[in-house]
Amino acid sequence: MEGRVGDSPAGPGLGVLGTASMVLQPLGHLLDGGSLQAAAAQAGAHDWLFGASRAVHVAAVLTAVVLMFRPASNAYFRRTA
């Protein structure tokens, strides 16, 4: 059956470790009792830019992982392999 999870040459684990490394630090801050409001209040321009680039990166990785398992991508990798 074409298009199943795991059909991609990269397997279902691609994107998991990198995404975890991008999400665990902010999540850990919140779990340790940190506040989004306090972090936002003391954030400078560099912090906002870094946070925005992190959010865009995570969104791009998640989008790529979803698109990687589409039947069209599986067909492409079968043709080029």
Side-chain angles (χ1 to χ4, degrees), residues 1-76:
M1 175 180 200
E2 217 174 88
R4 292 180 313 203
V5 171
D7 281 352
S8 172
L14 185 67
V16 173
L17 293 178
T19 301
S21 73
M22 299 289 279
V23 173
L24 287 179
Q25 183 184 10
L27 187 60
H29 172 74
L30 294 176
L31 292 175
D32 287 341
S35 160
L36 282 178
Q37 291 82 8
Q42 40 181 276
H46 181 264
D47 299 316
W48 284 106
L49 185 60
F50 182 76
S53 70
R54 182 177 282 208
V56 169
H57 185 153
V58 169
V61 168
L62 295 176
T63 301
V65 168
V66 168
L67 293 175
M68 180 174 57
F69 293 108
R70 295 192 33 89
S73 65
N74 291 326
Y76 172 79

